[in-house]
Amino acid sequence: MFEQAIGAMASVVVDPYLLGLIFVTTILGVIIGVLPGLGATTGAALLLPFTLTMDPVHAIAVLATIYVSATFAGSITAILINAPGTSAAAATTFDGYPLAQKGEAGRALGIAVISSTVGGIFSVLILCFAAPLLARVAYEFRSPEYFALTVFGLSMLASISAGGAVKNLIGGIFGVWLSTIGAERVTGIERFMFGNYELYEGLHFVPIFIGLFAISELLVQSKTVDKIIKTVAMKAVKLPTKEDYKKIWKTILRSCGIGTFIGVLPAEGATVASMIGYSEARRWSKNKKEFGKGSIEGIAGAEAANNAATGGAMVPTMVLGIPGSGTTAIILVGLMVHGLRPGVYLFTEQVEKVYQIFGSMFIANVMFMLMGLYAAKIFARVSLVPTAILWPIVFALSVIGAYAFQGQLLDVWLALIFGVIGFFARRFGFSVAPIAVGLILGEMVETNLQHSLKMFDGAWWMILTQPLALMFLIFAFLGLCGPMIFSWITKQKK
Amino acid sequence: MIKKNIYFVPLFLAIFSFVVIAIALQLDTSPEMIVGDSMQARSFPIFLMILNLILVAVLTLQFYKNHPNPIPLERFPTWGSMILFLVFYLLTVFTDMFIGIFIVMFLMCVLWGEKRIWVALLTASITPALIFMLFDLVLKIRFPRGILTNIYYG
């Protein structure tokens, strides 16, 4: 098994086509991450249709590379123009931009590049070891356990992103409801199709995701047409000095652990990881006063954590089929579209492909480090592309991408409709990621509930007699009600 | 500015939930021998909407307690972009998808503040052409029939 894994990972290095693909995608990912508004999720949604004709490993490698490189690249604009290219880089602005304003933009970028690379590589290594172990545990799962696990995943939506727990849960339920559109799997009864037989097999994820992430972002960006971007001058990226390393190595290691752990939690992602990584860096620092004024520990804490979360988020995605973030939801769709069924099967029958994907992520981390060190200055200029040019291009890519998925115009209209729905949802404080995750998990939760009910002759409470299922349901309950219970206990103590 | 109208959100969600429940109740039921001890096709969506209604009640309570900030009305480029989506639909259905993309991209560039008409024209013509070539020649995907594609495909 170990030798097979090493062999598969090494095969990536000797595959010139795949290496070239990762190289080009890393450039594309960094550009996507640098452009404000176009994060890893939107980028992956736009690129998904382009991967349809690719070999499965190549396709997932492209999506995973976009994920890691765009997550890193958000820090370039966070440091140089105080506008995080991705939400995961928001914490980097707290100290990155102040340091850049002091004339040390190159140093800030150097710290960000090294921290991101260490975080990314650390999480890929954890992914290589943790994923097969978790897959062995998941081998024991039956319908009640999968049902409970999916409920746990849905409960974690409460904290997936900004917007508030209740709004995120409403979004998640809407997503699950969307998954009920089409013919019901067991009985074949048509639900919410209104005579449209193109919806018989249900809503397809690709056009919906293009709408929710790319088109809705386009409409959100239409409000920023007057925004003037000012960039901080920078000569060249500087590698951290020995003293810098002495100051930040503990922070980087801590953030690697935090980021990977948070990434592994279903429905949590790089944004939450970077915020916690930053606040923990501050909590443990001897120079707390420097935070907010250009602390290199602050940059390292946020950047190591957000990139560490990328590998972590791939664990539940590939092993359990439960996405760790909006981007991994798209990667999950990529896996399904290419016939790679996430779960135990993937780790028993298609181990080689799995490790090739992990190897690709490893190489992507090294490539974005080189690009960050030697070409950050050039990439930063990309952020100055006028929105009036950039977003019409995104429109063209979105509609053609939605059409290309199945060659149906209905998919284009669905992408546009869900773009408008996503825009209004965001306008009223709802995040679109819970809708996407709900849509993916919807079928899983309903099917496993049906199977569980059949297993227990309709006695739903028997699900609670399964130890693992009970554990997941308790986690779900704590995830939903824990904050309320703990705040009530704290109030009572006072 | 939308002020008290913020309650429009929970109201809309509640109406949506009731409509879904009403539609779900109209769905066919399956014979007992197929469903057995499991659920009818209508049960799951109804269960979801009941959950939704509970959450909507909590959301309303939160709005009542916290008085969320008013939401400013959309500006012209946003509404304009949505109208352009409609224009794209009409152009695609009645002429050609690529004519639709070209016109909408051009108008969107101008609407979003691009003052150099030649830049807008260039963006609107080069982008779809490049994407078409990539999808047609490399990915071998055929596009829907229309005025332009009929000429190309013959």
Side-chain angles (χ1 to χ4, degrees):
Chain A
M1 174 75 178
F2 183 72
E3 281 174 13
Q4 198 183 2
I6 295 290
M9 284 179 84
S11 70
V12 177
V13 186
V14 291
D15 182 348
Y17 177 71
L18 184 54
L19 276 180
L21 206 59
I22 295 172
F23 178 73
V24 173
T25 316
T26 308
I27 295 176
L28 213 58
V30 174
I31 291 172
I32 285 169
V34 159
L35 291 165
L38 259 187
T41 316
T42 313
L46 287 174
L47 274 183
L48 184 55
F50 289 88
T51 66
L52 292 175
T53 52
M54 288 181 190
D55 168 83
V57 172
H58 294 174
I60 306 305
V62 164
L63 296 174
T65 304
I66 286 287
Y67 185 27
V68 294
S69 52
T71 304
F72 150 71
S75 66
I76 298 177
T77 46
I79 289 167
L80 295 181
I81 59 172
N82 201 26
T86 59
S87 60
T92 312
T93 56
F94 302 160
D95 283 293
Y97 189 64
L99 192 60
Q101 279 182 314
K102 286 179 188 171
E104 294 190 80
R107 185 177 169 218
L109 269 171
I111 303 266
V113 170
I114 297 297
S115 310
S116 297
T117 309
V118 175
I121 289 176
F122 175 85
S123 72
V124 172
L125 291 176
I126 295 291
L127 176 65
C128 293
F129 291 105
L133 290 177
L134 189 61
R136 270 188 220 169
V137 178
Y139 192 71
E140 305 295 324
F141 287 11
R142 294 170 306 151
S143 291
E145 284 81 13
Y146 271 115
F147 166 72
L149 179 69
T150 324
V151 171
F152 170 56
L154 287 169
S155 74
M156 294 299 282
L157 288 178
S159 56
I160 195 170
S161 52
V166 177
K167 285 181 176 175
N168 287 341
L169 288 173
I170 290 173
I173 287 177
F174 178 64
V176 176
W177 173 75
L178 288 176
S179 76
T180 66
I181 294 174
E184 204 262 339
R185 301 292 186 283
V186 178
T187 58
I189 290 172
E190 295 161 14
R191 297 188 292 195
F192 314 111
M193 285 167 54
F194 306 106
N196 197 333
Y197 285 92
E198 283 163 311
L199 296 176
Y200 192 81
E201 288 180 12
L203 291 173
H204 288 285
F205 298 141
V206 179
I208 308 294
F209 280 20
I210 288 175
L212 285 177
F213 293 112
I215 304 278
S216 79
E217 187 62 44
L218 180 152
L219 292 170
V220 169
Q221 291 296 323
S222 68
K223 290 181 291 182
T224 64
V225 286
D226 305 327
K227 201 173 167 184
I228 296 165
I229 296 170
K230 284 182 183 171
T231 178
V232 171
M234 180 189 73
K235 283 180 183 169
V237 178
K238 283 181 190 166
L239 278 170
T241 60
K242 268 187 183 175
E243 283 177 7
D244 286 342
Y245 278 119
K246 273 184 190 172
K247 220 173 170 183
I248 59 172
W249 73 269
K250 280 183 189 169
T251 308
I252 291 179
L253 280 183
R254 194 183 310 114
S255 284
C256 284
I258 292 169
T260 308
F261 175 72
I262 289 172
V264 170
L265 293 177
E268 297 294 347
T271 309
V272 180
S274 67
M275 289 295 175
I276 297 178
Y278 179 82
S279 63
E280 284 304 304
R282 187 180 176 173
R283 198 157 73 94
W284 290 91
S285 173
K286 289 174 188 167
N287 310 302
K288 287 192 179 70
K289 283 182 184 172
E290 278 183 25
F291 277 76
K293 293 171 190 166
S295 163
I296 56 169
E297 288 170 273
I299 301 169
E303 279 304 307
N306 68 22
N307 266 71
T310 56
M314 291 292 280
V315 176
T317 308
M318 296 189 77
V319 180
L320 306 169
I322 293 182
S325 62
T327 320
T328 45
I330 294 166
I331 294 175
L332 184 63
V333 171
L335 284 167
M336 294 182 204
V337 166
H338 287 281
L340 298 174
R341 207 175 74 206
V344 183
Y345 175 79
L346 197 61
F347 285 85
T348 50
E349 305 297 321
Q350 292 170 312
V351 185
E352 202 170 317
K353 285 179 181 170
V354 169
Y355 281 98
Q356 282 175 333
I357 293 167
F358 293 171
S360 307
M361 284 182 77
F362 190 92
I363 290 170
N365 275 291
V366 177
M367 280 192 183
F368 81 60
M369 179 185 78
L370 296 175
M371 280 177 204
L373 287 176
Y374 299 108
K377 200 177 168 182
I378 302 163
F379 284 120
R381 289 190 180 179
V382 177
S383 64
L384 304 176
V385 170
T387 47
I389 303 292
L390 173 68
W391 290 96
I393 294 173
V394 170
F395 168 78
L397 282 169
S398 300
V399 292
I400 294 178
Y403 176 82
F405 174 58
Q406 289 190 114
Q408 283 183 7
L409 273 174
L410 176 72
D411 288 338
V412 179
W413 315 140
L414 281 175
L416 293 176
I417 289 167
F418 276 91
V420 175
I421 291 174
F423 169 72
F424 280 110
R426 293 168 72 169
R427 203 69 198 90
F428 288 101
F430 294 81
S431 171
V432 290
I435 302 176
V437 176
L439 178 61
I440 287 182
L441 296 184
E443 193 196 329
M444 216 168 138
V445 74
E446 188 183 10
T447 312
N448 285 304
L449 178 61
Q450 282 171 332
H451 291 172
S452 303
L453 289 173
K454 279 203 169 175
M455 263 174 76
F456 300 125
D457 298 326
W460 60 267
W461 57 89
M462 288 295 285
I463 295 171
L464 303 175
T465 61
Q466 309 301 305
L468 272 174
L470 181 66
M471 186 185 81
F472 286 129
L473 290 174
I474 289 172
F475 282 162
F477 177 78
L478 287 176
L480 288 173
C481 306
M484 278 186 283
I485 296 168
F486 291 129
S487 74
W488 183 79
I489 292 170
T490 318
K491 270 185 188 174
Q492 292 298 312
K493 276 185 181 173
K494 279 180 183 174
Chain B
M1 304 277 264
I2 304 168
K3 285 182 182 172
K4 287 182 182 173
N5 295 356
I6 193 76
Y7 288 101
F8 160 80
V9 177
L11 181 71
F12 173 80
L13 290 169
I15 292 170
F16 173 79
S17 302
F18 282 119
V19 169
V20 170
I21 291 173
I23 296 170
L25 286 170
Q26 308 297 316
L27 294 176
D28 295 333
T29 50
S30 192
E32 195 69 18
M33 59 181 289
I34 297 176
V35 180
D37 292 312
S38 194
M39 301 183 291
Q40 286 288 350
R42 58 167 66 165
S43 308
F44 190 64
I46 292 174
F47 169 70
L48 287 175
M49 288 305 123
I50 291 170
L51 270 182
N52 207 31
L53 284 169
I54 295 168
L55 287 169
V56 167
V58 177
L59 187 68
T60 313
L61 201 70
Q62 280 184 353
F63 281 3
Y64 181 73
K65 273 186 173 177
N66 303 334
H67 305 289
N69 291 331
I71 295 167
L73 289 170
E74 304 311 330
R75 294 170 58 200
F76 182 63
T78 311
W79 289 116
S81 301
M82 283 187 225
I83 293 165
L84 285 179
F85 292 168
L86 202 66
V87 172
F88 171 71
Y89 170 79
L90 295 171
L91 286 170
T92 303
V93 170
F94 295 108
T95 59
D96 188 288
M97 189 178 178
F98 284 90
I99 293 176
I101 292 174
F102 168 76
I103 292 176
V104 168
M105 274 188 80
F106 171 72
L107 292 175
M108 204 180 272
C109 284
V110 175
L111 183 73
W112 283 42
E114 182 53 64
K115 286 171 187 160
R116 297 162 297 177
I117 297 297
W118 65 272
V119 173
L121 274 173
L122 217 62
T123 309
S125 48
I126 289 177
T127 312
L130 284 176
I131 300 173
F132 176 82
M133 274 158 60
L134 178 70
F135 274 93
D136 185 70
L137 302 175
V138 183
L139 304 177
K140 309 281 179 203
I141 288 165
R142 283 178 76 88
F143 286 96
R145 289 279 179 177
I147 296 171
L148 293 180
T149 39
N150 272 345
I151 298 169
Y152 181 79
Y153 292 131

